[in-house]
Amino acid sequence: MTPPAYLYKILSLDNWAGSAASEDVALPSDDTQFIHLSTQEQLEKITSKYWKDVPEYILLKLEVSKLKGKLILEANPGGSNKYYHLYDGSIPKDAIVETRHIIEVTE
Protein backbone atom coordinates (compact mmCIF):
# COMPACT_ATOMS: atom_id res chain seq x y z
CA MET A 1 0.00 0.00 0.00
CA THR A 2 1.33 3.42 -0.97
CA PRO A 3 1.45 5.85 1.95
CA PRO A 4 -0.33 9.19 1.70
CA ALA A 5 1.66 12.25 0.64
CA TYR A 6 1.38 13.66 4.17
CA LEU A 7 1.42 12.20 7.67
CA TYR A 8 1.13 13.90 11.04
CA LYS A 9 3.13 13.97 14.27
CA ILE A 10 1.96 15.45 17.56
CA LEU A 11 4.59 16.84 19.92
CA SER A 12 4.62 18.36 23.37
CA LEU A 13 5.72 21.98 23.66
CA ASP A 14 8.90 20.74 25.37
CA ASN A 15 9.81 18.43 22.48
CA TRP A 16 9.11 21.19 19.98
CA ALA A 17 11.29 23.63 21.95
CA GLY A 18 14.02 20.97 22.09
CA SER A 19 14.02 20.87 18.29
CA ALA A 20 15.17 24.48 17.92
CA ALA A 21 18.91 23.82 17.64
CA SER A 22 18.68 20.59 15.63
CA GLU A 23 18.19 19.62 12.00
CA ASP A 24 15.74 16.92 13.13
CA VAL A 25 12.64 17.12 15.29
CA ALA A 26 13.22 16.22 18.97
CA LEU A 27 11.09 13.18 19.75
CA PRO A 28 9.45 11.93 22.95
CA SER A 29 10.73 8.87 24.82
CA ASP A 30 7.87 6.70 23.52
CA ASP A 31 9.36 7.04 20.02
CA THR A 32 12.55 5.07 20.74
CA GLN A 33 11.62 1.80 18.93
CA PHE A 34 9.90 3.66 16.11
CA ILE A 35 8.31 7.05 15.45
CA HIS A 36 4.52 7.09 15.77
CA LEU A 37 2.79 8.86 12.89
CA SER A 38 -0.83 9.20 11.86
CA THR A 39 -2.99 10.02 8.88
CA GLN A 40 -5.26 13.04 8.88
CA GLU A 41 -8.24 10.73 9.42
CA GLN A 42 -6.67 9.29 12.60
CA LEU A 43 -5.88 12.63 14.25
CA GLU A 44 -9.19 13.15 16.06
CA LYS A 45 -9.07 9.68 17.64
CA ILE A 46 -5.42 10.09 18.68
CA THR A 47 -5.85 13.56 20.15
CA SER A 48 -8.97 12.55 22.09
CA LYS A 49 -7.28 9.42 23.46
CA TYR A 50 -3.70 10.52 24.17
CA TRP A 51 -3.75 14.33 24.25
CA LYS A 52 -7.14 15.10 25.86
CA ASP A 53 -5.55 16.26 29.13
CA VAL A 54 -2.82 18.30 27.45
CA PRO A 55 -3.90 21.94 27.05
CA GLU A 56 -1.31 22.78 24.37
CA TYR A 57 0.63 20.78 21.83
CA ILE A 58 2.20 21.06 18.39
CA LEU A 59 0.79 19.35 15.32
CA LEU A 60 3.21 18.80 12.45
CA LYS A 61 2.12 18.03 8.89
CA LEU A 62 4.95 16.07 7.29
CA GLU A 63 5.85 15.40 3.67
CA VAL A 64 6.32 11.63 3.61
CA SER A 65 8.86 11.68 0.77
CA LYS A 66 11.28 13.65 2.98
CA LEU A 67 11.14 11.39 6.04
CA LYS A 68 14.28 9.40 6.80
CA GLY A 69 13.87 5.71 7.67
CA LYS A 70 11.62 2.77 6.89
CA LEU A 71 7.90 3.56 6.95
CA ILE A 72 5.62 0.63 7.81
CA LEU A 73 1.82 0.50 8.15
CA GLU A 74 1.06 -1.88 11.01
CA ALA A 75 -1.16 -2.49 14.01
CA ASN A 76 0.10 -1.64 17.47
CA PRO A 77 0.67 -4.70 19.70
CA GLY A 78 -2.72 -6.02 20.81
CA GLY A 79 -4.58 -3.69 18.45
CA SER A 80 -6.28 -3.96 15.10
CA ASN A 81 -6.13 -0.37 13.83
CA LYS A 82 -3.15 0.24 11.57
CA TYR A 83 -0.83 3.21 11.96
CA TYR A 84 2.31 4.35 10.19
CA HIS A 85 5.52 3.74 12.11
CA LEU A 86 8.90 5.07 11.02
CA TYR A 87 11.74 2.70 11.92
CA ASP A 88 15.45 3.58 12.08
CA GLY A 89 14.71 7.12 11.08
CA SER A 90 14.09 10.72 11.97
CA ILE A 91 11.93 13.66 11.05
CA PRO A 92 14.10 16.25 9.33
CA LYS A 93 12.79 19.78 9.71
CA ASP A 94 12.60 20.17 5.94
CA ALA A 95 9.87 17.48 5.95
CA ILE A 96 7.57 19.84 7.89
CA VAL A 97 5.08 21.55 5.58
CA GLU A 98 2.82 22.96 8.29
CA THR A 99 3.11 23.59 12.02
CA ARG A 100 0.05 24.24 14.17
CA HIS A 101 0.12 25.26 17.82
CA ILE A 102 -3.04 23.72 19.28
CA ILE A 103 -4.52 25.30 22.38
CA GLU A 104 -7.50 23.48 23.85
CA VAL A 105 -10.03 25.89 25.27
CA THR A 106 -11.80 24.59 28.35
CA GLU A 107 -14.78 26.22 29.97
Side-chain angles (χ1 to χ4, degrees), residues 30 33-37 42 45-46 49-50 72-85 87:
D30 62 346
Q33 286 189 302
F34 53 81
I35 300 169
H36 298 81
L37 300 169
Q42 293 169 325
K45 181 178 181 179
I46 289 169
K49 185 174 182 177
Y50 297 105
I72 298 176
L73 179 64
E74 62 187 354
N76 288 329
S80 59
N81 294 326
K82 292 189 174 186
Y83 297 93
Y84 282 97
H85 297 151
Y87 286 87

Side-chain angles (χ1 to χ4, degrees), residues 40-82:
Q40 184 173 7
E41 296 78 23
Q42 293 169 325
L43 282 175
E44 186 176 337
K45 181 178 181 179
I46 289 169
T47 55
S48 65
K49 185 174 182 177
Y50 297 105
W51 294 87
K52 68 178 190 257
D53 295 325
V54 180
E56 293 183 65
Y57 53 87
I58 302 296
L59 175 62
L60 302 178
K61 181 177 181 180
L62 307 170
E63 187 174 338
V64 170
S65 65
K66 293 186 177 181
L67 296 175
K68 297 176 183 174
K70 184 177 179 184
L71 191 63
I72 298 176
L73 179 64
E74 62 187 354
N76 288 329
S80 59
N81 294 326
K82 292 189 174 186

Side-chain angles (χ1 to χ4, degrees), residues 87-100:
Y87 286 87
D88 302 319
S90 63
I91 301 174
K93 285 188 183 168
D94 71 350
I96 301 170
V97 295
E98 184 180 340
T99 304
R100 292 180 55 203

